[in-house]
Amino acid sequence: MGHDLSQDAEIWDDAYKLDRAHVFHSWHAQRNLDPTEVVTGHGVWLKYGDGREMLDFTSQQVNVNIGYQHPKVIEGIKKQAELLCTVGPDYANLARGRAASLVARRAPEGFDKVFFTNAGADANENAMRAARLFTGRDKILSSYRCYHGNTGAAISATGDWRRKPNDYSRGHVHFFTPYLYRSEFSATTQEEECERALAHLEHVIQFEGPDTIAAVLLESVPGTAGIIIPPKDYFKGVREITKKYSILMITDEVMAGFGRTGFWFALDDYDYTPDIISFAKGCNSGYVPAGGVIMSDPVAHRFDDIVFPRRPDLLRSPAGHGRHRGHPGSHGRGAHRRQRLHHRQGRARPAAHRSVRQAPEDRRGSRQGRVLGRGNGCRPHHQGAAGRRHDEADRGRRRQARPDSRRAQQPHPRHSSLRHLRRRGDPGRRDPRPGADRGRLLIG
C-alpha cells in the first residue's frame, strides 16, 4: 500500500509548501488558506519563518498561560519521557496521581475525583455523559453564545454558527444568557438583564420538562463567543434554579480556568459551586494535549459500582478504551512544575488594564466590558454610529499596520506571570483598588 510522494523531497524543508500540499486545516475553506509559518516561540513572542517576531496577544488558542518554551516545563517533560513515555488508563502512575491531586486541590471543596481527557471538547463530552448517566435523563441545556468544542455532543451544545452544519447529536436545547450590549430581554441595566435572563432560563426548563433535563452547561466566561462577562449574580441564580429542579450544573472552565481571569477557576470569582467542572488549555499551557473533568463527590460516587463511560448496567469495565487519557507526558513532571509556578504567581493587572481604565469614557465602551483577567486581547465596544465608525477605522489601521523590525532586537521579556492567584475564601480575594469591580474592563 501507499503511493509515491517523491516530489516532496524538493519541498522537504519548506514548511509552507508541505502544509499546503498535505495538511487539512480546521474551520477554514482550504483553497485560499494562507497560513503563517511559525518556527519557535519564547515567552510571549512567536518567531515567524521570515524572521519576524510577533507578540502573541491571543496566547495561541487562549491556552499558553505561562508562555512558550518555559525551561522548567521543558525539563520536566524530558525527564518524564525518559522515565515512562506512555501508560494505559488501567494502571496507577505517580505522575497521573499527583496531577489529579494538584487539580483537585484547586477545585471547590467536595471535588476529589478527576477524569483526564485529551482536550477541552473531550472534557465536555465526558462531562455531559456523566450528567446523563447520573440523572438518567437526556437533554443538555446550553447558551446560544457559547463554544464547547468540535466533537459530536460538544458541537451540538455549542450555540454559534459552527453548530449548524454539524448538529447530529440529540438532546440539546439552547437558551439566551445575559448580554446587556445585545440584550434579548430589552433590559437597560445589568440587574434587569440578569433577572430577566434567569426568568427566561426557568421558563425554558419548565417548557422542556425538568424530568427530561440532565444538566445546564455554561462557560464561566464565554470566550469564543466574544469574552462576555456575566453579571455578578447570574451563576448564583442558575445554581438555585438547577437545584430547584434537581438538574446538574456543568461549568466549562476550558478557556477561563487556570489563571486566565486571575483565579484558579473563573467560577471562584462568582462564588457558586457547580456539580461538574471541565478544564483543558491552561492546565498545562498546551505543551502536551490534556484536559479533564472534575466531578463532585455525589457524581463521582455514582460510578463506584457501575462503569463510566459505558452503560450504567455494566459492572465490569471493557479493557482498552481511552488509552491516551491521563498520559504521563501530559501530567508528568512538567505539569507539576507548571502548577508550582502558578502557585507562586498571582492575580495580574498589567499596564494594559491601567491604559483602558484611564481612557476617555467615549473610547472605553463602558457599557459592556469584554475582557476579564488574562483574557484574549482587549476589545471594548463603542456605542452608536460614531462608535461603529471608530471600530471600522480601527480595523482599517490594523490591516495597514506592519510589524516593527526593532522588536527582534529588543531584549526578550520574562515568561508571563499571574500574580496573586487566590482560591475561593482566601482573604483579600477582591481587587482592593477603588472602583475595581465587575462593571469595568478588566485586562491582564
Side-chain angles (χ1 to χ4, degrees):
M1 292 295 291
H3 58 289
D4 182 19
L5 289 176
S6 57
Q7 69 273 17
D8 283 355
E10 300 177 3
I11 60 172
W12 198 247
D13 294 322
D14 191 321
Y16 181 87
K17 290 181 179 179
L18 282 171
D19 182 283
R20 298 308 297 123
H22 298 297
V23 177
F24 194 97
H25 289 258
S26 61
W27 306 128
H28 286 281
Q30 306 299 304
R31 185 185 305 280
N32 297 318
L33 185 63
D34 186 23
T36 300
E37 178 188 353
V38 174
V39 176
T40 187
H42 52 94
V44 296
W45 296 89
L46 285 174
K47 186 175 181 179
Y48 288 175
D50 59 9
R52 292 180 297 158
E53 287 195 334
M54 299 294 286
L55 175 64
D56 182 11
F57 225 165
T58 63
S59 188
Q60 210 40 212
Q61 301 297 311
V62 198
N63 66 331
V64 190
N65 294 11
I66 62 171
Y68 296 96
Q69 307 307 112
H70 198 293
K72 291 188 177 181
V73 179
I74 298 299
E75 176 192 359
I77 292 173
K78 288 180 178 178
K79 288 183 177 180
Q80 180 61 49
E82 290 170 354
L83 177 65
L84 181 66
C85 284
T86 186
V87 65
D90 296 332
Y91 299 93
N93 178 262
L94 186 59
R96 183 186 296 148
R98 285 178 173 174
S101 174
L102 288 166
V103 171
R105 73 180 62 176
R106 304 302 174 193
E109 185 176 355
F111 284 70
D112 293 323
K113 289 294 185 77
V114 181
F115 178 81
F116 285 116
T117 66
N118 299 320
D122 191 5
N124 284 322
E125 291 278 349
N126 284 283
M128 288 184 278
R129 179 178 291 150
R132 283 166 163 162
L133 291 174
F134 180 85
T135 61
R137 306 169 192 165
D138 191 34
K139 291 180 184 176
I140 302 292
L141 270 58
S142 55
S143 170
Y144 278 109
R145 295 188 176 98
C146 74
Y147 179 75
H148 296 291
N150 70 347
T151 52
I155 195 65
S156 289
T158 292
D160 72 18
W161 64 271
R162 286 168 287 191
R163 166 179 54 87
K164 297 174 184 177
N166 299 289
D167 198 2
Y168 300 111
S169 294
R170 72 182 192 194
H172 291 273
V173 178
H174 294 84
F175 60 96
F176 288 105
T177 46
Y179 181 31
L180 184 60
Y181 185 71
R182 295 279 187 249
S183 176
E184 300 291 338
F185 311 109
S186 303
T188 57
T189 67
Q190 286 283 15
E191 291 74 18
E192 282 185 351
E193 182 75 0
C194 181
E195 181 181 349
R196 295 175 186 182
L198 290 171
H200 163 66
L201 171 60
E202 186 164 16
H203 290 161
V204 171
I205 290 173
Q206 290 169 344
F207 278 97
E208 290 292 332
D211 58 345
T212 69
I213 300 169
V216 174
L217 168 62
L218 288 170
E219 292 177 277
S220 49
V221 179
T224 304
I227 314 179
I228 302 169
I229 303 173
K232 179 179 179 180
D233 296 323
Y234 180 67
F235 288 118
K236 287 183 181 179
V238 173
R239 178 76 277 205
E240 291 175 2
I241 291 172
T242 56
K243 286 182 177 179
K244 177 180 178 180
Y245 293 100
S246 300
I247 296 169
L248 296 189
M249 184 175 182
I250 305 171
T251 294
D252 179 347
E253 288 275 349
V254 169
M255 185 176 289
F258 292 91
R260 180 58 60 180
T261 67
F263 295 87
W264 280 106
F265 291 108
L267 64 87
D268 291 341
D269 198 20
Y270 293 90
D271 196 25
Y272 76 101
T273 302
D275 298 289
I276 300 173
I277 302 169
S278 59
F279 67 90
K281 290 187 182 287
C283 71
N284 69 354
S285 290
Y287 281 48
V288 182
V293 180
I294 319 173
M295 300 181 187
S296 62
D297 291 346
V299 175
H301 291 319
R302 173 72 176 89
F303 302 98
D304 285 348
D305 299 309
I306 66 171
V307 175
F308 179 82
R310 304 296 184 177
R311 297 200 320 269
D313 58 324
L314 291 177
L315 299 182
R316 184 173 176 276
S317 174
H321 80 272
R323 61 178 60 88
H324 295 301
R325 291 191 178 115
H327 193 290
S330 302
H331 307 296
R333 299 172 74 96
H336 301 157
R337 287 182 182 274
R338 184 200 53 72
Q339 286 270 8
R340 287 197 286 272
L341 285 169
H342 273 315
H343 185 67
R344 294 196 298 268
Q345 295 163 345
R347 193 162 188 169
R349 292 290 185 267
H353 185 187
R354 294 192 296 273
S355 299
V356 173
R357 206 171 58 239
Q358 295 165 3
E361 189 68 24
D362 61 343
R363 294 292 300 275
R364 206 188 294 172
S366 59
R367 183 180 177 190
Q368 172 64 30
R370 290 289 291 275
V371 181
L372 175 68
R374 302 184 64 80
N376 179 3
C378 170
R379 189 182 174 189
H381 279 299
H382 300 285
Q383 310 298 319
R388 286 192 293 274
R389 287 194 297 272
H390 176 78
D391 286 340
E392 291 168 2
D394 267 357
R395 285 193 290 272
R397 282 193 292 271
R398 287 196 297 272
R399 283 194 294 268
Q400 296 168 10
R402 293 292 182 268
D404 188 345
S405 60
R406 291 175 295 178
R407 286 285 188 195
Q409 303 169 12
Q410 294 177 355
H412 295 162
R414 289 188 178 185
H415 287 268
S416 58
S417 63
L418 310 175
R419 302 204 177 277
H420 311 332
L421 282 183
R422 304 187 191 278
R423 295 185 64 191
R424 179 187 309 170
D426 287 350
R429 182 167 62 84
R430 298 288 180 184
D431 192 336
R433 290 170 299 190
D437 53 27
R438 185 179 311 280
R440 46 187 333 122
L441 286 170
L442 299 179
I443 300 173

